[in-house]
Amino acid sequence: MKEFDMADERRFAGIEAGGTKFVCALATADGRILARERIGTAHPALTLSQTLEFFGRAGREHGAPAAAGIASFGPLDLDPASPAYGSIVSTPKPGWSDVNILAAVRDGLGVPTRIDTDVNAAALAEGRHGAAKGCHTHAYVTVGTGIGVGLVAGGKSLIARGHAEMGHIPVPRAPDDDFAGVCSYHGDCLEGMASGPAMAARWGCPAQDLAPDHPAWAMQAHYVAALCCTLISTVRPDRIVIGGGVFEQPGLHAHVRRVLEPMLAGYGLAPHEGDLDTLIVAPGLVETPPGLLGALELARQAADG
């Protein structure tokens, strides 16, 4: 990726738009955050007006943004040819279906604006600042309330025309696993078997309450390793960064590596794919939310065209 120009005096607006809160920041071109605010996600008109008011205040104090980036919950319409491009579509979040968040921010700030999924933005941030820095192609996986996958190649996220949902791919069942799965659409897809709610439903308590030697973790490693096997066979990433609340469990990344090795069976692997210690890693960004940093990277890309 292109490095920041330390002489660049532009300001960038970043928005991590989530179903619970919007995290907004005004930053310098070298990534230094000048102003930041958390806004609760309420009615769209209120939330977006408070977002624009924040950037108005921050811009008067620190300089107006040259561009904006949005890392958003979804599903999103990401087809530039679509009349609804930049809209949140068919979301269970009350009032937010068909809201064009891209147009609201772009027109409200009057600057070039780019939008992407929250997980793609996190992948951009890990490539710029974190555990995937220096990689040409990498994946960012988050395992929590849901399971999301962001893909980056050459410093750009791989955007489908719709909101890609790799968390809903079918996966081979772990041995002796008869759990039905919790996905209301597919039952035993990846998210249905290995998300935080799936673990709670399967074992009767939240993942964070399970002992380190509980059999849940071997089963969890199986399903995430299956995802990694699919990514390696299709995308051939230089690195797979795995984060999210479930992966705060110590040793889980190592467990995934152990399960993944026999799944791959050594077939057609490049040297970096055979080195699982550097292929499967934890996130490098822990203090600043990667989605927010990714939104700022989207703003920089919007400014640079």
Side-chain angles (χ1 to χ4, degrees):
M1 287 186 183
K2 174 183 173 184
E3 291 297 327
F4 287 123
D5 180 357
M6 299 298 289
D8 190 342
E9 296 184 354
R10 292 177 298 178
R11 305 294 190 247
F12 295 128
I15 302 167
E16 184 181 27
T20 302
K21 64 182 182 300
F22 275 37
V23 180
C24 305
L26 183 72
T28 60
D30 63 0
R32 182 168 54 92
I33 293 179
L34 301 169
R36 177 171 164 174
E37 186 164 309
R38 180 192 186 279
I39 297 167
T41 306
H43 186 276
L46 175 62
T47 305
L48 291 168
S49 67
Q50 290 176 335
T51 297
L52 296 174
E53 287 168 6
F54 161 74
F55 285 114
R57 294 193 304 272
R60 287 190 292 273
E61 183 175 354
H62 301 287
I70 308 165
S72 181
F73 72 102
L76 294 171
D77 185 331
L78 294 173
D79 181 1
S82 169
Y85 175 54
S87 295
I88 298 172
V89 296
S90 304
T91 178
K93 185 68 178 176
W96 283 87
S97 291
D98 302 320
V99 171
N100 196 318
I101 186 171
L102 171 65
V105 173
R106 180 192 61 213
D107 297 347
L109 295 181
V111 297
T113 304
R114 192 167 288 189
I115 191 170
D116 205 341
T117 66
D118 46 9
V119 70
N120 270 348
L124 285 171
E126 285 290 342
R128 165 67 72 169
H129 306 284
K133 190 172 182 178
C135 295
H136 178 273
T137 304
H138 68 275
Y140 176 84
V141 179
T142 180
V143 184
T145 304
I147 296 180
V149 181
L151 299 171
V152 170
K156 305 287 185 181
S157 64
L158 301 180
I159 303 176
R161 290 190 177 184
H163 189 118
E165 292 284 3
M166 198 172 291
H168 290 272
I169 62 173
V171 285
R173 281 183 169 269
D176 303 319
D177 184 12
D178 60 0
F179 181 60
V182 300
C183 177
S184 60
Y185 291 93
H186 313 115
D188 60 353
C189 64
L190 175 64
E191 190 169 293
M193 301 300 280
S195 63
M199 294 189 74
R202 185 199 298 272
W203 303 109
C205 67
Q208 61 265 28
D209 293 343
L210 296 169
D213 59 351
H214 194 283
W217 300 114
M219 199 166 284
Q220 189 70 8
H222 167 89
Y223 287 114
V224 177
L227 168 63
C228 293
C229 191
T230 297
L231 288 169
I232 292 165
S233 299
T234 54
V235 182
R236 309 306 293 259
D238 301 321
R239 191 152 297 148
I240 301 173
V241 182
I242 308 177
V246 170
F247 267 76
E248 293 175 1
Q249 172 66 26
L252 189 51
H253 292 85
H255 205 152
V256 169
R257 296 185 199 107
R258 288 193 295 271
V259 176
L260 177 60
E261 187 169 17
M263 282 187 181
L264 295 173
Y267 177 74
L269 299 181
H272 75 273
E273 293 165 334
D275 183 1
L276 297 185
D277 287 338
T278 59
L279 180 64
I280 309 295
V281 301
L285 301 173
V286 292
E287 293 184 3
T288 302
L292 181 60
L293 290 176
L296 291 167
E297 172 62 12
L298 288 170
R300 189 187 68 81
Q301 292 181 3
D304 292 343

